Amino acid sequence: MPTRTIVYSKEEDVDYTTFIQLIKQKTGIDLSQYKEAQMRRRLTTLRVKNGYATFEQFAHAMNADKKLFYEFLDRMTINVSEFWRNPNRWEVLKDRVLPALLTENKQLRCWSAACSTGEEPYTLAMILDDKHCLKQTTLYASDIDENALQRAKDGIYIERALKDVPPAFQQKYYKQDGDMYRIHDMLKPHIQFRKQNLLLDKFESNLDLIICRNVMIYFTEEAKHELYKKFAQALRPGGMLFVGSTEQIFNPAQYGLETQETFFYRKL
């Protein structure tokens, strides 16, 4: 069934534009670079749920209520993730992409961009450890949401998040704690979690591998274009960008990239 187009009044448009300006002033987050229809619909649901008649009221309330602000970030960034999401792509990374990178450089520099609550960088850390190269690897993981980053550092997950994890990895890298599962402490010191705004902040350079999956779909085409340029610049020649299953780059050459495997792009 097609999504119904919502028609807003002029006053509602002005109210939302004011909200965008207030959020940018407070956080540096530029909501105008996110697809408006889905972002506005999502945030309207959150605003109404919390009992605010206008977005301007909602913005001022977030200034006074940190919990409300974190709820806004969660809704804005959709912190839904799983370990080994699309497992066949992780198998390609494990069996073909990483071995090729390791022939060129034994001390990898990797980055999980927009890592949410940590499932993605922990998946990568498991694979690196399985290949006996985690200790030599520098692994960054970043997100705009401090609450999500704290949950990533805590490393405690519901059972459903583990549904695609291979049994041998599940046995080695998780410990059951009641209804929850804890990431093995051996992985945690090898991941450097940090807050980062992809649209605003500088990137690391000379990276061997960047993973940014299921995030670009929320950005406008202009913002996406700028991000792909920044990702390509952050990679070393021969480095690899790994994107999500709905984020295929149809003209990678414009960024100095070439298709290596499905959803894997190598810097020329």
Side-chain angles (χ1 to χ4, degrees), residues 32 39 66 82 100 127 139 156 212 216 244:
S32 70
M39 180 61 69
K66 203 163 190 179
E82 296 162 352
I127 292 171
L139 175 50
I156 304 169
C212 187
M216 308 294 276

Side-chain angles (χ1 to χ4, degrees), residues 52-169:
Y52 296 99
T54 68
F55 272 109
E56 189 171 359
Q57 290 173 10
F58 186 42
H60 292 310
M62 281 194 283
N63 276 330
D65 186 343
K66 203 163 190 179
K67 185 181 175 188
L68 186 62
F69 176 63
Y70 283 142
E71 193 177 358
F72 155 72
L73 283 178
D74 272 346
R75 184 63 60 93
M76 190 200 96
T77 53
I78 315 203
N79 289 318
V80 176
S81 190
E82 296 162 352
F83 296 94
W84 296 73
R85 189 171 180 178
N86 309 117
N88 62 328
R89 294 296 91 201
W90 287 101
E91 292 296 329
V92 169
L93 178 75
K94 179 169 72 74
D95 297 335
R96 298 208 284 272
V97 173
L98 274 178
L101 290 174
L102 286 164
T103 62
E104 299 170 15
N105 186 4
K106 296 299 181 191
Q107 296 184 314
L108 298 179
R109 287 167 52 79
C110 304
W111 174 29
S112 170
C115 70
S116 185
T117 46
E119 290 89 336
E120 182 176 276
Y122 283 127
T123 299
L124 178 58
M126 291 174 212
I127 292 171
L128 290 165
D129 184 63
D130 185 62
K131 294 196 170 296
H132 310 291
C133 61
L134 178 60
K135 289 178 181 176
Q136 303 95 268
T137 298
T138 302
L139 175 50
Y140 306 104
S142 67
D143 201 87
I144 201 169
D145 184 348
E146 290 177 273
N147 191 39
L149 286 170
Q150 186 56 56
R151 287 159 62 191
K153 291 173 188 176
D154 293 341
I156 304 169
Y157 299 92
I158 58 174
E159 185 175 8
R160 192 188 72 221
L162 280 66
K163 67 183 179 62
D164 289 324
V165 179
F169 281 79

Side-chain angles (χ1 to χ4, degrees), residues 166-181:
F169 281 79
Q170 190 168 141
Q171 188 172 358
K172 184 174 181 179
Y173 296 109
Y174 299 87
K175 182 179 180 182
Q176 189 167 1
D177 185 356
D179 293 333
M180 307 297 283
Y181 286 79

Side-chain angles (χ1 to χ4, degrees), residues 3 29 69 112-113 238 248:
T3 305
I29 297 167
F69 176 63
S112 170
Q248 199 162 355

